[in-house]
Amino acid sequence: MADDGRTALVSYAKGWDLSSCSALEPLSRSEAEARDRAGEPYVMVHRVPGRTVPVEVHLVAWGDHYVGVWAYDERGRRTQELDWRLLEPGRLLLRRRAQWRYDSLDQAEFAKDVWRTRTDLEPDGRGRTVFEPQGALGPSRHGRVEVPEADRRRDRAEFGAGGVGSLLLSEPSLCGRHADDPEATLEASPADGAAAALSPWLPPRPAAPPHLSELFRPGTRVATKDQPEMTVHAVREIAVLRVPSGRLAVACPLTTDDGRQRELRERIPPGAYPLQEAILSYELEYAGEVFPVEEGAAVRLLIDEEPAATWELALAEGEDARLLRDDEAYGFPTDAALGSFADSAAWSVLADKYRRYSMEGEEDAGEPIADSSYVRTSDSATGGDLIHFPTGGDGVWPVWLGRSAAGKPVAIAVACVYLPDLRILGAV
């Protein structure tokens, strides 16, 4: 192809440094193709002659079901993002599209006053748009959108080592060809001394479970960024929860979405299971005095005595972990700082009884348990129960599923207080 100034030269590397706008460990095309086949992440860098920064960079990570696209202006500022997810063989879904517009040459990338818009999409085409014409410093407009199938789906073959065209930019004349010498067209990786300043672009990393097994091990010492040392004081038995249907709901009994509970996809054997609370103890200093504190940190429904070897998000119908972005997690929403475990088959009866007990003062509708710190409601027709628990505030609280080494479900848990940057210090 003739080099007419509109030809994008496509080169490859193992990674991309977002802070310096430079490639990390250049690859040949054959090396990139090998990583493509293995599902290992790599980047494609699109450049045009006469310009020092790329027009576009793709992070291809088939093993993570992800293709990310960043577009750059001539000053190396990111102007657009596309987030594609591989949810079905050979087809990609547009998960997010974001744009930034800079008013001046010296305006910093992602400055607080930069014009911006973002659209997040679900697989069915519905989504939400946020528009901030004055950036974070001004008002924002929120709205719902429906994006046609043709605009939110792409063939996998259009991306990766086999497809070199520019899909983000609108100019149809911007074609692509492979550079003859990838190492020569890519910027050199930062020197070893600059490694600490690297900001490598990585595939999305959803939220991770917060050391749930250790939180239910008395004597374990833990710390967060707010508390330098805490100890798992005890595992408290709250009550036995009956789940005769084997269908478990973990949701706020006072906050429902369209009147529906959040029923977990994972089924458990019908039966009755202990609900337990992990208690943390620590010292809190206030006004020069030190006070001992005990706080419930997590609750779990113990399905089996076998220890959990792994933890994963406990998903509900319609949720797909492959759609999550960095630090995101599915969970139950609450605007009452409450959650509950319940037999999902009897949810409407159980939640109604809880509302009548807690909001209307109907004492016969519920039963205080565990030193009156918790409330249980029961359905005589099905034999199912609901037991509520407090959370550390409103918002969305993730629910985690523990599995044995053989993959059997052994526990369902919720960290019901904020534990930022939780780490394990050891045992007493």
Side-chain angles (χ1 to χ4, degrees):
M1 181 181 297
D3 187 354
D4 57 2
R6 298 305 303 162
T7 300
L9 305 178
V10 182
S11 300
Y12 307 92
K14 283 188 177 180
W16 184 255
D17 180 34
L18 294 169
S19 59
S20 63
C21 194
S22 62
L24 305 173
E25 299 187 55
L27 298 171
S28 66
R29 182 181 178 184
S30 61
E31 289 171 332
E33 289 173 339
R35 294 182 73 86
D36 189 279
R37 291 190 296 270
E40 298 175 347
Y42 65 98
V43 297
M44 299 175 62
V45 183
H46 297 242
R47 297 182 183 275
V48 293
R51 180 165 149 161
T52 59
V53 297
V55 291
E56 213 171 283
V57 180
H58 298 186
L59 173 59
V60 182
W62 299 126
D64 293 282
H65 314 282
Y66 172 77
V67 174
V69 179
W70 283 109
Y72 287 85
D73 66 12
E74 292 185 353
R75 299 185 67 83
R77 299 173 297 191
R78 284 169 282 180
T79 59
Q80 293 194 63
E81 178 197 11
L82 294 181
D83 179 332
W84 298 94
R85 301 302 173 100
L86 184 67
L87 302 185
E88 56 185 276
R91 294 286 283 170
L92 289 160
L93 166 77
L94 182 61
R95 176 71 176 89
R96 171 178 285 189
R97 178 166 188 154
Q99 295 176 280
W100 296 262
R101 294 179 187 170
Y102 302 95
D103 296 329
S104 63
L105 294 178
D106 58 355
Q107 197 170 20
E109 182 182 59
F110 301 157
K112 290 184 177 181
D113 59 345
V114 167
W115 180 104
R116 68 191 73 186
T117 183
R118 182 184 76 245
T119 300
D120 290 289
L121 295 173
E122 297 298 328
D124 61 6
R126 293 180 300 173
R128 294 190 63 86
T129 293
V130 179
F131 176 51
E132 298 174 312
Q134 300 171 34
L137 302 181
S140 62
R141 297 203 298 268
H142 299 248
R144 295 189 177 274
V145 296
E146 291 194 14
V147 178
E149 176 87 5
D151 294 334
R152 58 187 173 87
R153 301 280 184 177
R154 287 289 187 275
D155 289 335
R156 170 176 170 163
E158 297 181 50
F159 291 88
V164 299
S166 172
L167 296 177
L168 181 62
L169 302 181
S170 59
E171 298 92 338
S173 60
L174 185 59
C175 303
R177 70 174 177 85
H178 297 286
D180 296 330
D181 184 2
E183 287 79 3
T185 60
L186 289 174
E187 292 182 2
S189 300
D192 292 341
L198 288 180
S199 178
W201 184 13
L202 300 173
R205 293 291 180 260
H211 298 292
L212 289 164
S213 294
E214 290 82 358
L215 284 176
F216 285 91
R217 191 173 297 150
T220 301
R221 294 165 48 245
V222 302
T224 68
K225 70 178 183 180
D226 299 325
Q227 293 295 334
E229 184 167 348
M230 299 180 286
T231 301
V232 180
H233 174 69
V235 175
R236 178 190 188 193
E237 301 289 333
I238 298 173
V240 171
L241 182 81
R242 298 176 300 170
V243 191
S245 71
R247 295 163 48 196
L248 184 66
V250 185
C252 175
L254 299 181
T255 306
T256 58
D257 181 10
D258 299 329
R260 295 179 288 110
Q261 72 273 30
R262 186 175 184 269
E263 179 181 313
L264 303 186
R265 223 157 49 198
E266 187 78 24
R267 296 292 184 258
I268 62 176
Y273 302 100
L275 186 62
Q276 302 173 330
E277 178 185 34
I279 306 294
L280 287 178
S281 64
Y282 56 95
E283 292 183 339
L284 187 64
E285 184 177 348
Y286 179 75
E289 294 189 52
V290 176
F291 302 90
V293 176
E294 289 189 357
E295 181 178 30
V299 291
R300 74 174 178 185
L301 191 69
L302 192 62
I303 301 168
D304 195 286
E305 291 290 345
E306 190 171 352
T310 60
W311 290 92
E312 64 192 59
L313 278 173
L315 301 174
E317 287 299 326
E319 296 174 349
D320 191 331
R322 296 172 298 176
L323 291 171
L324 295 173
R325 288 171 62 87
D326 285 339
D327 298 320
E328 288 185 343
Y330 292 110
F332 66 89
T334 176
D335 55 18
L338 292 176
S340 70
F341 289 80
D343 187 313
S344 185
W347 174 263
S348 59
V349 173
L350 297 170
D352 179 65
K353 282 190 170 185
Y354 182 84
R355 286 190 289 271
R356 284 156 41 201
Y357 177 88
S358 62
M359 304 296 289
E360 301 173 16
E362 190 176 326
E363 294 184 1
D364 292 340
E367 170 193 9
I369 56 176
D371 299 329
S372 300
S373 300
Y374 292 82
V375 172
R376 174 169 55 200
T377 62
S378 301
D379 177 30
S380 58
T382 64
D385 294 329
L386 176 151
I387 299 177
H388 101 283
F389 59 89
T391 64
D394 298 344
V396 176
W397 293 86
V399 183
W400 303 96
L401 168 65
R403 294 189 186 276
S404 68
K408 178 176 62 176
V410 295
I412 308 289
V414 177
C416 52
V417 295
Y418 295 105
L419 298 169
D421 300 326
L422 180 69
R423 62 188 186 279
I424 305 300
L425 299 179
V428 174

